[in-house]
Amino acid sequence: MWNEVELKLSIERKSITRLRSHPAIVNACIDKPVTHRLITIYYDTPDLKLLDAGVSLRVRHSCGRWIQSIKTVGSSLTGLHKRMEWEDVIAANHPDFTKILDPVLVKLFANQNLRDALRPIFQTEVRRSEWQLAFENGDKIELALDLGKLTAGKNSEPISEIELELKAGHVGRLFDLALELQKTIPLTLENDSKAQRGYAYYRTTPQCVFKGNLPKLVKTTDANSAFKKIAWECINHLQSNQDMVLHGTDVEGVHQMRVALRRLRSAFSVFKKILGSKNNVALLVELGWLSNALGKARDLDVLVTQTLPAIITQYENHAGLLKLRDIALTAQEEAYVEVRTALSSQRYNYLLLSMAAWLENERWREGARDKKSHQVLNTATATLAKRHKQLRQRGKHLEHMHPEARHAARIAAKKLRYASEFFASLYPSAKSRSFIRKLSQLQDCLGVLNDITTTEKLLQQLIETSPNIKLDEVQHLFAHWNVSNRIHFEKNLNENWQAFASQKPFWCSR
């Protein structure tokens, strides 16, 4: 059980005056705000053994006394940080190991070599203003505004952030308060703690692509709890790839963010009977906005990294294809500017805060058609059977279908796959793994055929922006290339369909 739960948000200094007088703070404040100076020194060994152990050790000077704090790494998502923390008053500005009583920490710090190697590695110096807030239902929050700097050796960076720490009550209150503040004050969710920002000067963490985790459900879980768990997994998948899209170079980051959004929107569809339609429409609109922004970049990624390299090699560096590649690269750069602008916008931060508040406060229950708390197993079995039937109906004679009909079959396959992944933990793993693997192969093949159609439309748009004779030739080359590819993948499609169709549904008892 976490004993520290706080929401971190960065704030521009020009907005500080508006923050201090914001009605959401003034109306809930139960005492005068207090401002004091904090100097915090973070300790570790030169080779960062505490960081590797998932622990941070700091000594802070506040109000004339020294306080030692040890924290675990914990978790952070949508700016919400959850971790274990142990605080003790100590006599001086260096660690006091006699204050450490937790058995795991005692074992860690019993190592005399580690103790001797501990050194101050970075520090923060801030002026902290604190407001104690109380609400009618008993929720209590400490709002802290930190203004100052972080120093690591010769490096330094400014600190301008808000911490909303839950002192009593429900976590959802943190997000509700942040949403009220963000209506008039630009705020950005901050998933990195001060410790993480300090450690970044000593050890660079490379951007990575993350694939979504399958939710772990049990048969006795009710549908509302299952939806909440699945939705949070989707948001974690989305945010885990955010840094790659903002700062990295792997195009898979955009793809994974888009997949996360598709899964989240699919979860809304799967659980629509328990969701109140009135209060989720706005969220779905915003999820659609973000998906569209990512979709443009993704289509160009496929063209630039997959389609064009293969066809350029086939036609021995045809001048028109090389010209098209230059045009496509420029369009891709522009699409990424749009995506990064979207992910840095207040609209995106408001979407994440809104989604988090909606989930934590379980607001989907308001106006829901079905008030009963059904077991998720009932929802799972009914959903899987329905989506399996839809795919079987749409999948007949796939290889001879018109692209639009085949697209409908691809959507049906995608919906069945997402539902299968959501609920796989409720059924025998061997059966579900085999089914999902065959379904994924079918979906991938349908995806390639859809990419061919998408590429044809995208190609036309790009050529229209820069017409010339060589680009006219490119259209003929692509037409021949696509015909050849379609024939190849349509043959594979039939094989993949037969392999999938032979799989017995894993959700059936027999």
Side-chain angles (χ1 to χ4, degrees):
M1 182 68 179
W2 313 112
N3 65 359
E4 183 187 54
V5 180
E6 60 186 16
L7 182 64
K8 289 181 178 289
L9 306 120
S10 61
I11 182 172
E12 297 176 350
R13 293 196 175 232
K14 64 183 181 181
S15 300
I16 300 302
T17 301
R18 274 184 287 166
L19 176 73
R20 294 182 185 278
S21 60
H22 197 285
I25 297 176
V26 174
N27 295 336
C29 195
I30 58 175
D31 208 343
K32 292 182 178 180
V34 177
T35 300
H36 46 270
R37 183 168 173 254
L38 300 179
I39 298 176
T40 307
I41 305 167
Y42 291 80
Y43 282 80
D44 208 330
T45 64
D47 55 353
L48 308 182
K49 279 189 166 54
L50 293 187
L51 175 62
D52 290 334
V55 171
S56 70
L57 170 63
R58 73 184 192 195
V59 173
R60 169 176 287 173
H61 188 261
S62 174
C63 302
R65 60 180 186 167
W66 290 96
I67 300 172
Q68 175 176 279
S69 296
I70 300 177
K71 296 186 180 185
T72 60
V73 172
S75 64
S76 60
L77 179 61
T78 60
L80 188 71
H81 296 249
K82 298 178 180 181
R83 56 203 166 198
M84 294 299 297
E85 179 182 29
W86 296 265
E87 282 193 346
D88 295 284
V89 176
I90 56 177
N93 64 341
H94 54 77
D96 183 349
F97 304 108
T98 66
K99 298 289 186 177
I100 300 173
L101 302 177
D102 179 83
V104 175
L105 296 179
V106 167
K107 183 178 180 180
L108 174 66
F109 287 99
N111 187 323
Q112 190 61 47
N113 291 332
L114 181 142
R115 291 190 187 191
D116 293 341
L118 289 174
R119 300 285 186 275
I121 57 170
F122 57 88
Q123 75 171 42
T124 62
E125 184 174 349
V126 302
R127 284 184 62 80
R128 167 169 287 188
S129 298
E130 295 177 347
W131 291 261
Q132 302 301 323
L133 310 179
F135 302 86
E136 292 181 358
N137 69 338
D139 291 343
K140 294 181 180 179
I141 293 175
E142 180 181 273
L143 186 154
L145 168 66
D146 286 348
L147 300 174
K149 66 178 181 178
L150 181 151
T151 304
K154 296 181 180 180
N155 302 298
S156 67
E157 63 178 71
I159 293 174
S160 180
E161 67 180 28
I162 298 170
E163 293 180 0
L164 304 177
E165 184 173 354
L166 187 68
K167 294 298 185 179
H170 197 270
V171 173
R173 177 67 69 175
L174 297 176
F175 293 108
D176 284 343
L177 177 58
L179 282 169
E180 281 299 310
L181 297 176
Q182 207 219 15
K183 287 179 180 178
T184 55
I185 301 172
L187 299 172
T188 303
L189 293 167
E190 184 59 75
N191 282 326
D192 289 338
S193 65
K194 294 184 183 71
Q196 288 171 303
R197 290 163 64 182
Y199 272 118
Y201 288 100
Y202 295 91
R203 182 181 293 172
T204 302
T205 303
Q207 281 93 23
C208 297
V209 172
F210 292 86
K211 294 190 176 181
N213 294 319
L214 299 182
K216 299 292 190 295
L217 305 175
V218 295
K219 294 180 179 180
T220 55
T221 303
D222 66 273
N224 283 291
S225 299
F227 169 72
K228 187 174 181 179
K229 186 175 183 62
I230 290 169
W232 272 121
E233 288 286 5
C234 294
I235 294 173
N236 185 43
H237 184 195
L238 179 77
Q239 278 214 291
S240 294
N241 289 285
Q242 182 177 303
D243 280 350
M244 176 58 75
V245 178
L246 285 171
H247 311 295
T249 58
D250 192 333
V251 297
E252 185 67 12
V254 162
H255 179 53
Q256 289 301 321
M257 287 193 78
R258 199 159 174 238
V259 170
L261 287 172
R262 284 175 170 174
R263 284 177 170 162
L264 183 55
R265 294 166 76 182
S266 183
F268 274 73
S269 176
V270 168
F271 291 93
K272 62 184 178 182
K273 287 187 177 181
I274 66 169
L275 304 183
S277 59
K278 291 183 179 180
N279 60 16
N280 66 35
V281 172
L283 286 173
L284 287 170
V285 168
E286 292 303 282
L287 292 174
W289 157 74
L290 183 58
S291 183
N292 288 337
L294 292 164
K296 183 178 179 181
R298 176 58 184 169
D299 289 343
L300 285 160
D301 285 341
V302 172
L303 177 64
V304 168
T305 65
Q306 298 177 27
T307 307
L308 278 174
I311 195 172
I312 286 173
T313 300
Q314 176 69 25
Y315 290 101
E316 299 178 346
N317 294 326
H318 183 279
L321 290 170
L322 296 176
K323 173 67 174 176
L324 175 63
R325 182 182 62 186
D326 292 340
I327 296 171
L329 285 168
T330 299
Q332 184 190 34
E333 290 176 4
E334 293 172 352
Y336 266 78
V337 169
E338 293 179 15
V339 167
R340 287 164 179 157
T341 298
L343 296 183
S344 302
S345 68
Q346 285 298 296
R347 183 176 182 178
Y348 176 66
N349 280 276
Y350 192 81
L351 167 59
L352 291 178
L353 283 172
S354 299
M355 191 72 207
W358 189 75
L359 285 173
E360 281 299 328
N361 292 294
E362 299 189 358
R363 293 205 168 101
W364 67 83
R365 294 174 179 261
E366 300 169 11
R369 288 181 294 166
D370 193 342
K371 298 291 186 179
K372 297 179 181 179
S373 182
H374 299 289
Q375 285 189 353
V376 69
L377 186 61
N378 298 330
T379 301
T381 301
T383 300
L384 291 167
K386 179 181 178 181
R387 294 193 169 185
H388 184 249
K389 181 179 179 180
Q390 290 173 338
L391 178 55
R392 293 291 296 246
Q393 290 174 337
R394 288 182 171 87
K396 296 177 181 178
H397 311 298
L398 271 175
E399 69 273 23
H400 303 302
M401 276 186 180
H402 187 275
E404 290 183 1
R406 189 179 288 155
H407 176 68
R410 184 179 71 87
I411 297 300
K414 182 173 62 177
K415 288 182 176 181
L416 177 58
R417 178 181 174 182
Y418 292 160
S420 297
E421 291 173 339
F422 290 159
F423 301 128
S425 60
L426 298 172
Y427 305 95
S429 59
K431 292 182 179 180
S432 62
R433 280 199 303 268
S434 176
F435 184 91
I436 292 172
R437 183 172 64 254
K438 297 297 183 183
L439 176 58
S440 299
Q441 291 168 350
L442 172 64
Q443 186 187 352
D444 289 344
C445 193
L446 286 165
V448 171
L449 289 165
N450 184 70
D451 287 342
I452 291 173
T453 302
T454 301
T455 298
E456 290 173 343
K457 296 177 182 177
L458 184 57
L459 177 65
Q460 186 62 39
Q461 294 170 5
L462 292 174
I463 288 177
E464 286 175 356
T465 65
S466 183
N468 63 40
I469 296 174
K470 291 180 180 178
L471 288 178
D472 287 341
E473 293 177 8
V474 166
Q475 288 182 295
H476 295 294
L477 294 178
F478 259 92
H480 182 269
W481 174 267
N482 285 340
V483 167
S484 177
N485 274 351
R486 274 200 179 94
I487 293 172
H488 172 71
F489 282 102
E490 283 172 354
K491 180 180 179 182
N492 287 347
L493 180 60
N494 185 54
E495 293 174 358
N496 284 317
W497 174 257
Q498 295 301 327
F500 163 73
S502 66
Q503 292 287 304
K504 293 183 178 180
F506 64 86
W507 54 89
C508 296
S509 56
R510 294 181 181 179

